[in-house]
């Protein structure tokens, strides 16, 4: 992908489902189709229970200005997935088969969390991919896929709508606390739990 066009940054793009599947398969292999967001109690449901106010409270409290996580492992040097997964756990949502977890049992690898979201969109009636950035809103989960496989893999939670150039997010590693992030030139995948 070209990163500059006559000195201008290109707009962020949203990957298609097939492009994202290929990327996940390349990164995590046969584990990719088996990862799934699940209720903490393991119940087999058609709608994933989600409490955005609880998750939002966590993201606002433990964003970089508040610091850390409510985890015995505290904050990792690359902490975006750990932070986002802890917020999901406040809504009683976990990843079913992560290859590694923190002391509290939440997923800490971005590609595994991304695969769990992708597969959850195929299982639950209330988990949806957002393919048009103009339709994004606070509480959507945004994966920066163009960074997968690099030292700066990233996931963040939107603090409001984003555009092809960026928007406000909550996130660790690239510290944001409802602050703007530049998404120019990036390949994204966005999911919503309704």
């Amino acid at each position: 992908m070209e990163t500059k066009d006559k000195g201008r940054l290109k707009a962020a793009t949203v990957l298609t489902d097939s492009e994202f599947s290929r990327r996940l398969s390349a990164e995590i292999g046969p584990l990719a189709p088996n990862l799934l967001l699940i209720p903490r109690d393991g119940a087999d449901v058609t709608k994933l229970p989600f409490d955005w106010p609880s998750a939002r409270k966590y993201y606002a409290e433990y964003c970089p200005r508040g610091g850390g996580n409510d985890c015995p492992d505290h904050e990792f040097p690359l902490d975006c997935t750990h932070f986002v997964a802890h917020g999901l756990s406040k809504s009683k949502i976990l990843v079913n088969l992560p290859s590694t977890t923190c002391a509290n049992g939440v997923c800490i690898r971005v590609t595994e969390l991304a695969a769990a979201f992708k597969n959850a969109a195929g299982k639950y009636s209330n988990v949806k991919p957002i393919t048009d950035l103009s339709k994004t809103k606070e509480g959507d989960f945004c994966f920066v896929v163009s960074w997968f496989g690099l030292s700066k893999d990233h996931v963040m939670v939107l603090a409001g709508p984003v555009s092809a150039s960026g928007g406000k997010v909550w996130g660790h590693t690239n510290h944001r606390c409802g602050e703007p992030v530049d998404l120019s030139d990036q390949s994204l995948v966005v999911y919503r739990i309704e």
Side-chain angles (χ1 to χ4, degrees):
M1 174 203 282
E2 283 185 22
T3 57
K4 303 260 182 186
D5 181 17
K6 295 183 182 178
R8 292 182 148 153
L9 293 173
K10 292 171 93 177
T13 57
V14 177
L15 291 181
T16 66
D17 188 62
S18 61
E19 290 171 317
F20 191 40
S21 292
R22 281 193 300 276
R23 197 62 190 263
L24 289 171
S25 181
E27 292 291 325
I28 55 179
L31 184 58
N34 298 316
L35 292 161
L36 185 66
L37 296 177
I38 59 169
R40 183 182 303 179
D41 65 7
D44 186 16
V45 296
T46 58
K47 185 176 178 181
L48 193 63
F50 183 61
D51 177 18
W52 170 241
S54 294
R56 186 189 189 288
K57 180 180 177 191
Y58 183 86
Y59 297 134
E61 182 175 347
Y62 288 97
C63 68
R65 288 191 190 147
N69 289 305
D70 66 347
C71 178
D73 289 335
H74 305 290
E75 188 172 340
F76 298 131
L78 298 174
D79 196 63
C80 63
T81 306
H82 186 221
F83 172 67
V84 169
H86 265 282
L88 284 168
S89 76
K90 298 306 171 208
S91 190
K92 299 185 178 19
I93 295 172
L94 298 172
V95 174
N96 66 334
L97 301 169
S99 62
T100 189
T101 64
C102 71
N104 280 355
V106 303
C107 181
I108 61 171
R109 293 200 170 136
V110 69
T111 50
E112 293 179 0
L113 182 61
F117 264 95
K118 180 188 179 315
N119 297 330
K123 177 174 174 61
Y124 304 111
S125 63
N126 64 325
V127 181
K128 311 230 184 280
I130 307 301
T131 58
D132 179 349
L133 292 178
S134 71
K135 307 276 190 226
T136 57
K137 67 177 189 172
E138 179 185 76
D140 289 346
F141 297 85
C142 181
F143 295 89
V144 183
V145 181
S146 49
W147 291 349
F148 282 15
L150 304 174
S151 63
K152 53 183 182 177
D153 297 348
H154 202 56
V155 62
M156 55 201 150
V157 181
L158 302 186
V162 295
S163 70
S165 62
K168 294 181 179 183
V169 301
W170 288 289
H172 278 192
T173 305
N174 292 323
H175 288 160
R176 300 287 187 271
C177 189
E179 298 166 87
V181 64
D182 181 6
L183 296 173
S184 301
D185 292 327
Q186 303 306 324
S187 299
L188 310 174
V189 175
V190 181
Y191 288 96
R192 177 175 300 151
I193 308 174
E194 298 175 321

